[in-house]
Amino acid sequence: MKHILITGGAGFIGSHVVRLFVNNYPDYHILNLDALTYAGNLENLKDIEGQPNYTFIKGDICDEDLIKELFSTYTINGVIHLAAESHVDRSITDPLLFVKTNVYGTLNLLEAAKNSWKDNLEGKLFYHISTDEVYGSLGDDGFFTESTSYNPKSPYSASKASSDHFVRAYHNTYGLPVIISNCSNNYGSHQFPEKLIPLFINNICNNKSLPVYGKGENVRDWLFVNDHARAIDVIFHKGTVGDTYNIGGFNEWKNIDLIKVLIKTVDKLLGRKEGASEKLITYVTDRAGHDYRYAIDSSKLKNELGWEPSLQFEEGIEKTVQWYFENKDWVNNVTSGEYQKYYQQMYE
Ligand code: NAD
Ligand code: DAU
């Protein structure tokens, strides 16, 4: 049996990746290592909790002893590393935490993998999940490709760029088998309602104001989270060691246009008059250093590994809004912090 260590598996994207691997690969033993910060929630994985090929470990990727112990207890064949501080606004107020988790935590994992795998690299892979934000900000034209130079502009993206550089340095210096993927903005179920889409769905439902940064003209390239998880599966199994893959859906939206789609979808579901909730839009002070536009060229992934997004955006947004409607308890629990008791009830 292969042991695969997935970090950050209780978070938004990580929980989708863990579920996909546990369900699709009964011959793998999936170890989910997560510190359960405010963003980690084991309720996300309730449905797979009892599966025989799944183990949850509560722990910090920065904990040297714990990571060494994990690598000596299990013959880990692959690492899929998602654990991170992920919210740009938080990185502006607490940059040191982002360096600690995203840079030092990644380095700690790389070091353990290097030491544990040094005598036999056969079949091993350290797969690092990163972001398109490492490339910086685009003007009105062009796309980020795998050869675009790094130009990170927020403390979050600088920390992710640094972690990417360390991953490549370990490949170049020690021959560690690594792959990196850089993905655009994800949306879908189980996303913490601090990020634009879940925050705004929740606020529209509750008639709360919608804080649009600046003029709402910034552009993001949105991908359904299950499509990201599928891409991670394909890259983990078929990707070329040492390579980078961009992941995105060629699906750019100006924030204000996307917000109007959210309003329309939620108002329809609530039986409100079309556009009724547009009055909630409130233009607020812009995010410091707000990147103008991201747009990912994912043609390498399509041409070499055959991956394509499976959902049209409108369908993905409807599914997403529907999920938040049907899971109001989940939203209430994460906004009140109540979900953190779940771990104590289940595991302590
Ligand atoms: P998230 O904030 O929802 O989840 C992060 C998870 O990591 C949480 O479960 C948290 O408890 C865990 N974690 C945080 N610090 C930890 C530590 N020190 N030790 C162990 N676990 C820790 O994040 P997400 O949106 O799911 O993002 C996952 C990864 O994907 C990140 O690396 C992020 O940079 C990357 N990414 C995210 C997006 C996006 O749109 N959300 C897009 C591209 C790439
Ligand atoms: O591009 C990939 C990145 O996408 C990931 O690496 C990050 O982990 C993820 O958080 C996301 O970063 P963004 O900063 O693009 O996502 P966020 O949802 O915070 O914001 C999306 C856009 O909406 C951005 O232009 C800022 C704007 N915004 C956001 C919030 C939370 C608002 O106008 N108002 C808000 O309240």
Side-chain angles (χ1 to χ4, degrees):
M1 184 173 250
K2 282 189 173 178
H3 301 283
I4 310 294
L5 174 65
I6 300 184
T7 69
F12 165 49
I13 302 171
S15 61
H16 287 275
V17 175
V18 166
R19 180 176 301 98
L20 186 154
F21 273 71
V22 166
N23 288 336
N24 290 6
Y25 299 102
D27 292 344
Y28 290 174
H29 175 212
I30 302 301
L31 295 151
N32 172 12
L33 172 69
D34 197 298
L36 300 183
T37 68
Y38 79 96
N41 182 0
L42 283 180
E43 278 189 79
N44 296 353
L45 292 166
K46 257 202 280 207
D47 53 321
I48 59 153
E49 224 150 50
Q51 302 259 52
N53 63 336
Y54 172 66
T55 304
F56 174 72
I57 299 149
K58 184 178 181 204
D60 190 331
I61 54 169
C62 300
D63 181 338
E64 283 180 46
D65 293 339
L66 171 72
I67 303 298
K68 271 188 211 150
E69 191 192 314
L70 272 181
F71 273 86
S72 63
T73 306
Y74 301 97
T75 314
I76 291 173
N77 300 84
V79 176
I80 305 179
H81 174 37
L82 296 110
E85 286 296 332
S86 68
H87 191 41
V88 174
D89 292 332
R90 286 179 189 256
S91 81
I92 295 168
T93 51
D94 193 2
L96 289 182
L97 175 63
F98 280 65
V99 172
K100 187 166 169 263
T101 300
N102 299 358
V103 185
Y104 182 76
T106 301
L107 197 51
N108 192 34
L109 288 165
L110 286 166
E111 195 55 15
K114 181 196 84 180
N115 293 333
S116 158
W117 294 348
K118 63 180 184 302
D119 296 327
N120 182 12
L121 290 172
E122 190 61 37
K124 307 291 195 301
L125 180 63
F126 189 104
Y127 178 12
H128 177 60
I129 307 304
S130 192
T131 170
D132 60 356
E133 297 197 14
V134 298
Y135 298 122
S137 177
L138 291 163
D140 285 322
D141 303 314
F143 292 92
F144 298 133
T145 70
E146 286 81 359
S147 56
T148 302
S149 300
Y150 275 32
N151 188 15
K153 287 166 178 293
S154 72
Y156 164 69
S157 55
S159 70
K160 290 296 289 187
S162 172
S163 65
D164 292 10
H165 289 320
F166 272 109
V167 173
R168 290 199 181 92
Y170 268 63
H171 179 61
N172 184 60
T173 311
Y174 308 110
L176 194 76
V178 307
I179 292 182
I180 299 177
S181 59
N182 298 84
C183 189
S184 63
N185 285 62
N186 285 216
Y187 71 97
S189 70
H190 302 93
Q191 187 170 29
F192 196 86
E194 62 185 351
K195 308 276 165 57
L196 180 77
I197 290 185
L199 175 73
F200 277 38
I201 293 173
N202 195 30
N203 284 10
I204 299 166
C205 290
N206 294 305
N207 273 311
K208 284 163 88 175
S209 73
L210 306 174
V212 179
Y213 298 164
K215 293 182 179 156
E217 283 173 355
N218 303 64
V219 176
R220 295 292 181 267
D221 184 356
W222 294 94
L223 182 69
F224 194 54
V225 64
N226 302 67
D227 280 329
H228 188 186
R230 281 179 42 247
I232 289 172
D233 180 7
V234 170
I235 293 167
F236 182 75
H237 289 101
K238 296 198 208 152
T240 302
V241 168
D243 268 20
T244 294
Y245 296 89
N246 279 353
I247 310 174
F250 292 103
N251 179 41
E252 292 178 52
W253 286 81
K254 221 176 237 194
N255 288 343
I256 193 65
D257 295 336
L258 167 64
I259 290 161
K260 287 183 180 165
V261 172
L262 289 176
I263 289 172
K264 194 172 161 192
T265 314
V266 176
D267 279 351
K268 193 168 136 204
L269 264 169
L270 289 175
R272 289 182 191 158
K273 216 171 112 213
E274 188 172 331
S277 301
E278 286 194 16
K279 63 175 185 301
L280 300 173
I281 292 175
T282 311
Y283 292 93
V284 298
T285 309
D286 209 353
R287 173 185 278 173
H290 197 173
D291 286 342
Y292 171 57
R293 173 173 168 258
Y294 306 140
I296 272 275
D297 179 349
S298 56
S299 34
K300 172 176 172 181
L301 183 55
K302 179 179 175 193
N303 297 337
E304 292 187 10
L305 305 184
W307 173 91
E308 279 187 275
S310 67
L311 270 195
Q312 290 298 317
F313 187 60
E314 285 71 12
E315 196 186 342
I317 283 293
E318 285 215 2
K319 272 180 182 251
T320 303
V321 169
Q322 192 71 42
W323 188 86
Y324 286 96
F325 264 50
E326 285 165 7
N327 291 277
K328 292 208 175 76
D329 284 350
W330 184 93
V331 177
N332 291 338
N333 284 349
V334 298
T335 42
S336 68
E338 194 60 24
Y339 68 102
Q340 280 155 341
K341 292 193 184 142
Y342 185 80
Y343 171 79
Q344 287 154 3
Q345 281 160 14
M346 297 303 296
Y347 290 85
E348 282 180 346

